[in-house]
């Protein structure tokens, strides 16, 4: 399919999220959050049912854990989340000296290491950093700080991390050493003016990178060389991240947001903030549980 070709997308869950984010397929269901409403959502495509839980503060993501529960990135730090009880337990605050920051996006690699970023909640200060949590120990990866970190996305072989500077409209390609240490970042993709801002990203089974565009009305697929090879248009402006789900990981689910849309924009985009699905034409990679 040529770059720019459209693919049908469908609203599958009308949640009208203020800032939907962090979709992940786990245990036969699609999990995601509404950051600003401080909620966790879970969607079961088999019967169309859904559940939701209130979080103690702004929540950027939830990911499965090897313990069978979930790890959540909340403004106050990493928490263990038990969907059975709805309880959140604080595990680690990586930035006790930065009360204006919150955790924003995360991913696990094939070794079960957790990679997560922070950002300035006011979206002005360059205080966002990327962290790695391995065997319970969390450390700053050493990448230069930015205002809003996004991604991160890790290739299936665990050798490359894609790190997004959202306001800088840049996605960096960073080598990962055997010990998890990061090498020298290389500018990989720059989003042109007028195309929105790069938000969450994910790798598919062919090693290509899918990038959601906040304010860009869609998602893009880039090959490993950074060439744009596919665009999927949405009926809403703010697309925040996709995840591959379903039995064979061949359905793409996308979170969206109402944040930043005025009354006229919301009237023109009645589906803004909903969870969407589309056929990406390629399978995704299974999500490994975080080893904490």
């Amino acid at each position: 399919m040529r770059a720019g070709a459209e693919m049908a997308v469908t609203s599958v869950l009308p949640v009208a999220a203020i800032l939907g984010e962090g979709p992940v397929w786990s245990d036969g269901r699609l999990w995601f959050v509404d950051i600003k409403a401080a909620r966790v959502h879970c969607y079961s495509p088999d019967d169309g049912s859904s559940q939701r839980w209130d979080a103690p503060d702004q929540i950027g993501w939830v990911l499965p854990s090897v313990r069978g529960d979930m790890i959540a990135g909340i403004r106050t730090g990493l928490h263990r989340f038990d969907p059975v009880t709805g309880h959140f337990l604080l595990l680690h605050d990586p930035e006790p000296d930065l009360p204006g920051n919150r955790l924003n996006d995360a991913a696990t690699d094939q070794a079960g290491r957790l990679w997560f970023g922070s950002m300035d909640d006011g979206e002005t200060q360059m205080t966002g950093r990327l962290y790695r949590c391995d065997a319970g120990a969390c450390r700053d990866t050493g990448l230069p700080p930015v205002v809003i970190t996004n991604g991160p996305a890790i290739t299936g072989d665990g050798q490359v991390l894609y790190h997004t500077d959202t306001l800088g409209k840049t996605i960096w390609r960073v080598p990962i050493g055997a010990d998890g240490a990061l090498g020298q970042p290389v500018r990989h993709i720059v989003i042109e003016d007028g195309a929105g801002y790069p938000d969450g990203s994910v790798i598919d089974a062919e090693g290509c990178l899918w990038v959601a565009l906040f304010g860009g009305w869609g998602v893009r697929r880039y090959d490993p060389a950074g060439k744009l090879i596919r665009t999927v248009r949405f009926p809403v402006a703010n697309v925040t991240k996709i995840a591959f789900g379903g039995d064979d990981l061949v359905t793409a689910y996308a979170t969206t947001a109402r944040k930043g849309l005025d009354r006229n924009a919301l009237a023109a985009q009645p589906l803004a903030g909903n969870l969407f699905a589309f056929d990406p034409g390629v399978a995704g990679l299974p999500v490994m549980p975080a080893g904490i």
Side-chain angles (χ1 to χ4, degrees):
M1 182 177 293
R2 70 187 187 281
E6 295 192 6
M7 304 173 71
V9 297
T10 303
S11 172
V12 295
L13 188 64
V15 291
I18 302 171
L19 186 51
E21 257 291 6
V24 61
W25 182 261
S26 177
D27 192 29
R29 294 174 290 177
L30 194 284
W31 299 78
F32 65 102
V33 302
D34 184 342
I35 295 176
K36 294 300 181 179
R39 287 176 181 159
V40 178
H41 291 271
C42 181
Y43 169 66
S44 300
D46 287 346
D47 60 9
S49 63
S50 64
Q51 294 177 270
R52 78 180 193 190
W53 298 260
D54 291 329
D57 207 326
Q58 294 185 69
I59 179 168
W61 45 268
V62 292
L63 287 169
S65 164
V66 290
R67 290 181 42 160
D69 52 15
M70 307 194 88
I71 303 299
I74 296 179
R75 187 187 65 81
T76 50
L78 296 179
H79 286 64
R80 192 173 296 282
F81 167 53
D82 184 351
V84 176
T85 65
H87 180 66
F88 290 83
L89 174 67
L90 178 63
L91 297 177
H92 175 65
D93 180 1
E95 298 179 334
D97 58 330
L98 293 172
N101 270 16
R102 65 172 174 83
L103 302 189
N104 190 48
D105 201 359
T108 55
D109 62 21
Q110 295 303 303
R113 291 179 294 213
L114 173 65
W115 303 80
F116 64 95
S118 64
M119 62 169 281
D120 171 34
D121 197 33
E123 302 183 10
T124 59
Q125 303 301 310
M126 295 186 66
T127 53
R129 294 186 176 274
L130 185 71
Y131 297 88
R132 182 182 84 248
C133 193
D134 189 6
C138 296
R139 55 184 62 83
D140 189 335
T141 61
L143 292 180
V146 297
V147 179
I148 302 174
T149 63
N150 249 307
I154 302 96
T155 54
D157 60 11
Q159 296 182 10
V160 175
L161 177 139
Y162 293 101
H163 169 62
T164 299
D165 171 4
T166 292
L167 294 189
K169 296 187 174 183
T170 300
I171 299 172
W172 298 85
R173 189 178 191 273
V174 193
I176 304 174
D179 61 354
L182 297 182
Q184 185 67 30
V186 175
R187 185 178 282 105
H188 186 63
I189 296 166
V190 176
I191 303 300
E192 72 276 14
D193 290 345
Y197 293 85
D199 205 315
S201 59
V202 66
I203 302 285
D204 65 30
E206 296 179 356
C208 295
L209 183 71
W210 292 77
V211 180
L213 297 173
F214 195 96
W217 297 86
V219 298
R220 290 178 172 181
R221 185 185 187 221
Y222 292 87
D223 72 12
K227 178 184 176 182
L228 176 61
I229 56 176
R230 185 170 297 177
T231 297
V232 181
R233 294 283 296 175
F234 275 63
V236 298
N238 300 331
V239 188
T240 56
K241 191 172 185 177
I242 77 164
F244 293 92
D247 293 340
D248 299 316
L249 300 179
V250 293
T251 299
Y253 293 95
T255 47
T256 64
R258 298 166 66 85
K259 180 178 180 288
L261 301 179
D262 62 21
R263 181 179 300 179
N264 290 336
L266 288 173
Q269 302 173 46
L271 302 179
N274 288 358
L275 178 70
F276 288 81
F278 65 92
D279 178 1
V282 63
L285 296 171
V287 173
M288 295 298 293
I292 56 176

